[in-house]
Structures are given as structure tokens and as C-alpha cells.
Amino acid sequence: MDATLQAVARNERGSPAKSVILGAGIGNALEWYDFASFVLFSRYFSTQFFHAEDPTAAFLSTLAVFAVGFLLRPIGGIYFGWLSDRRGRRFAMVASMAVTAAGCLVIAVSPTYASIGLMAPALLVFGRLLQGFGLGGEIGASFTFLVESAPVHRRGLWSSSMFIAITGGSLLATAVGLVLTQVFTTDEMTRYGWRIPFFLGAALGVYALFLRGRLKETSAFEQEQNEARAGAPVQPMAQAIWEHRASVLRIIALTAGPTLTFNTWMSGAITFATHFKGVDARQGLWALCIGCLVYMAVQPFWGALSDRIGRKPNLLMGAGGSALVIVPLLMLIDGSFVRLTLAICAGLVVLAAWTAIAPAVYAELFPTRIRATGVAIPYSLTVAIFGGTAPYLQNWMADHGHLGWFAAYLIALNLLTVLAVVRMPETRGQPLE
């Protein structure tokens, strides 16, 4: 049986395609719903958790907490990646989702600075750390589950569903923001309205637990477990990761530029435009909403294209293109809603060439026995360092008149990604080991 027939057989014995795609994607949707909600509503709750006398300092402190949440992602990636490679993809996805939902709930119910003083920001940090820990394991388990379930000749197309889900989470947060800012006044949003998105996030996490609990394990993992039970030697995880250190380093380089770019457009651009360029908050939300819809629409095109022409051309277009357009697009942003919308849409369409196929590329670099761990550790570490700090750095440098430095930083990291792509092997159509 060739690789394609094997993939189809795996899918027929496992969960239906729609269930696989929805079950794998919903955790990432919640991840970016939470992250987008945190950034989008930070202008309302920043003075609730930090001293209100200096709103700008409170706002920057809140963005720093956003970045702190990424610190536990590598640890979560190690733990849940190991759990996924030892207990199963589905088990790890359920466990990580439970932790993430708990983090949402902590933030939703946390008292304010006026009520409990310094304990308020401490609880905010604790909630973000829970989210970071849970979501650190989300990538390894869900990316691996999705790609192992996909037919070999459609991995790029199936892979594109992941960033549709991720963007859908941001879009949902944006839509919630639009509704709430229409229903509540600014004062009401500051006092209690900002809590509603986090309660919704916790509820979405409970639904994800139910959905994932009904999925079946991938046949690739089950085959690996059967071989282990039959007496096949099991290599220690640390030794296996070390033997594949080239792939670990490759994922770091592949991720550095695009994760900074993604966070720049999904989180940093709207806060930069509203806080420093005078764009109305509601118009900023609409600009991001339109950008998300455009970004989601082009994902399947880029994913299907990679199944036809290969992974490397896509990756080069995504990272190299982002390096080329960042300066003119940042310069395009001013107080205009139209210009902000055009900048976000253009930046995301270019980046989509990379994001549409990232899950497939990552999974194709590792064997089954260490796939989740091998993906989760370098990806979580890179996102923590470069992605989590993007909104803070973009706004801090803008506040100090050095936005050009941020553009140079983004260009440099995307060129690093381009170099990694040039030196990597083509993985399209290769059977999973």
C-alpha cells in the first residue's frame, strides 16, 4: 500500500475529517481568542490592575504581562509534547485545554488593584501563565494530530485549516469587542465590560474539552505504541531530540520572522494605530476584522498551492515577502481607517503563504515517536521570545520615536527564516516516518 492509500486508510479508521479539523483547530482558536482579547481590551482593564495615575505606564505594563504569558510556553511545550508522544495526541490536547480554560477564568474573576492592591496584577500574571503553559502544549499535540490524520497529498490543504482556526479566534475576539463597545460606554467597559470576553473564553474551553474527548487517536501514534509493546527499542526522549537537533534549530529559524510578523499585524498594529496614530478604537477593530476575513480566505489557496509546487516556494514567499513589505506598510498606517485596513490586509495576505503550511512542514521534519515534542519545544520557545514581545516592542519603540528599529528587527528575522528555507530539504509528498 503506498503512502497515499495508507493516509486514506488512517483517516477512515479514525475520526471523520471534519471532526479532526475542528477538534485540532478549536484549541488554537481559543489561544488566539484569548491573546487577542487580552491585547484588544487591555486599554480598558490596564488601569484596573495597575495604578491608574499614569494610563500609558499601566497600558505598557499590561502588554508586558501579555509577554510574560509566553514564558511558560516552552515549559508547556516540553511537558505536553512529552505527554502527547507517550500518552497520545488526543490525551494531551484535552489536558492542555483544561489548563488554558482555567487561565481564562482566573483573569475573568480577578479583583482590581483598588480592591486588593498588588495582588491584582499578581493574579493577572498567574492567569496568563496558566494560559501560556496550557497553550505551550497545544501546538505540538494539535499540529501533529492534524497532520498525521491528513492524506499525504493534501497535508498542505489540511494544514491551512489550523491558521483559519487561529485567525477565527482573533476574529471572534474582534467581533466581541465590536459588540461590547457598541453596547457599553467606555466607563462601563473599564469597570466590568472587559471581563465578559474572558468568561466567554472559559466557556469555549469547556466546549473544546467535550469536542476533543470524542476524537479517536491517530493510527500513526497507535502503530508506534504497538511496536513499542511488541518489544521494539524505545529511545530516550532527550537522546532522540538531540539526534534531530538540526530539525529543532530549523524550526527556530523558520518560525522567528513569521511569528514576529503575525503578532505585529494581529496584535501590535491595532494597538499602535489606536494608541499613537489616533485611529478610533471601533474603526481599529473593524480594520482588524476585515484583515482576519481576508487572511482566512487566502489560507486554503496557499495550502493547496504547496501540495502542487512544494513547501519551499510558499515559505520563501511568506517570509521574504514580509521582509519586503513591512516598511511601506508601517508607513501607510496613520489616522485613516482605510490605510490601516489596507496595511493589515496586505501584510497578512503575504504572510499567509507561510502560515498556511507551517503545521505540515513542522510535522514532516520529525518521526512519529518524537513529533509532538520536537515541534512543541522549538516552536514554543521561539514564539515566546519573538512573538510574545512583538506588541510591546512595536508600541514601546513607537512611543520613543524608533519605529524604524522595529522594522529593521522584523526584516532581519524574516531574512533568517529565508536562509533556513533555502538550506532545508523539500518535504512535500514525503511519507511520515
Side-chain angles (χ1 to χ4, degrees):
M1 184 182 292
D2 64 21
T4 300
L5 292 178
Q6 289 177 6
V8 173
R10 285 202 308 269
N11 191 51
E12 288 176 349
R13 292 196 300 271
S15 303
K18 290 182 179 179
S19 297
V20 169
I21 291 172
L22 182 59
I26 192 169
N28 291 278
L30 177 60
E31 171 184 8
W32 284 99
Y33 170 84
D34 289 343
F35 287 1
S37 294
F38 195 97
V39 174
L40 292 175
F41 294 98
S42 60
R43 63 187 296 262
Y44 297 109
F45 67 75
S46 59
T47 54
Q48 299 295 296
F49 287 97
F50 297 94
H51 207 290
E53 286 186 357
D54 189 345
T56 298
F59 174 69
L60 290 174
S61 296
T62 304
L63 290 183
V65 173
F66 175 79
V68 165
F70 283 78
L71 294 179
L72 279 193
R73 287 190 64 153
I75 299 175
I78 294 171
Y79 175 74
F80 288 108
W82 171 85
L83 199 65
S84 178
D85 286 328
R86 289 293 178 263
R87 297 287 301 275
R89 313 329 188 184
R90 188 191 69 147
F91 183 87
M93 288 195 301
V94 170
S96 65
M97 186 50 52
V99 175
T100 303
C104 293
L105 190 59
V106 168
I107 295 175
V109 300
S110 292
T112 65
Y113 184 89
S115 300
I116 59 172
L118 292 177
M119 280 298 296
L123 283 173
L124 182 66
V125 171
F126 178 65
R128 284 291 297 139
L129 290 176
L130 280 178
Q131 289 178 329
F133 182 69
L135 293 170
E138 182 65 33
I139 294 299
S142 63
F143 280 20
T144 298
F145 181 84
L146 177 67
V147 176
E148 286 182 350
S149 301
V152 66
H153 62 291
R154 289 289 183 268
R155 283 194 206 126
L157 180 60
W158 280 44
S159 172
S160 69
S161 68
M162 191 60 72
F163 272 84
I164 292 176
I166 288 173
T167 311
S170 295
L171 182 60
L172 178 59
T174 305
V176 170
L178 288 169
V179 171
L180 292 180
T181 53
Q182 290 289 338
V183 173
F184 298 114
T185 66
T186 300
D187 180 64
E188 290 170 335
M189 284 296 300
T190 301
R191 287 190 288 114
Y192 58 84
W194 63 267
R195 297 184 185 273
I196 296 174
F198 296 100
F199 278 118
L200 291 176
L204 181 61
V206 173
Y207 172 68
L209 289 173
F210 169 77
L211 186 66
R212 287 181 164 183
R214 302 175 63 183
L215 295 173
K216 296 180 181 178
E217 187 54 76
T218 68
S219 61
F221 176 79
E222 290 179 340
Q223 181 179 347
E224 186 74 21
Q225 292 298 101
N226 289 336
E227 292 175 357
R229 294 190 197 98
V234 178
Q235 189 178 31
M237 183 66 68
Q239 181 181 345
I241 293 293
W242 176 252
E243 288 186 3
H244 290 82
R245 58 190 179 276
S247 293
V248 171
L249 293 174
R250 183 169 286 124
I251 286 184
I252 292 174
L254 287 174
T255 306
T259 192
L260 178 65
T261 306
F262 183 82
N263 281 276
T264 296
W265 295 120
M266 282 292 185
S267 301
I270 186 174
T271 54
F272 166 71
T274 57
H275 203 73
F276 296 103
K277 294 298 183 177
V279 174
D280 178 75
R282 290 188 181 92
Q283 288 189 338
L285 289 174
W286 276 114
L288 182 58
C289 183
I290 294 171
C292 286
L293 289 172
V294 171
Y295 186 54
M296 294 169 71
V298 299
Q299 294 289 329
F301 165 77
W302 286 118
L305 183 66
S306 79
D307 287 326
R308 294 179 63 86
I309 68 173
R311 312 297 189 218
K312 294 179 67 171
N314 265 50
L315 297 174
L316 289 172
M317 285 185 280
S322 293
L324 289 174
V325 303
I326 185 62
V327 171
L329 292 184
L330 284 179
M331 292 176 64
L332 185 64
I333 299 175
D334 59 8
S336 166
F337 161 74
V338 173
R339 290 165 69 98
L340 174 62
T341 304
L342 288 175
I344 293 176
C345 288
L348 289 177
V349 167
V350 172
L351 179 64
W354 184 93
T355 57
I357 64 168
V361 173
Y362 292 158
E364 289 165 347
L365 292 173
F366 292 96
T368 300
R369 68 183 183 278
I370 62 165
R371 182 167 293 124
T373 308
V375 170
I377 293 175
Y379 182 86
S380 298
L381 180 64
T382 308
V383 170
I385 295 172
F386 301 109
T389 58
Y392 181 87
L393 286 176
Q394 184 177 0
N395 286 276
W396 184 87
M397 289 184 181
D399 189 43
H400 288 76
H402 300 306
L403 188 60
W405 293 2
F406 180 80
Y409 172 54
L410 190 147
I411 291 170
L413 289 184
N414 275 290
L415 291 179
L416 173 64
T417 298
V418 168
L419 178 62
V421 174
V422 170
R423 297 177 62 87
M424 71 177 283
E426 178 58 62
T427 59
R428 176 181 66 95
Q430 298 296 319
L432 298 179
E433 298 180 27

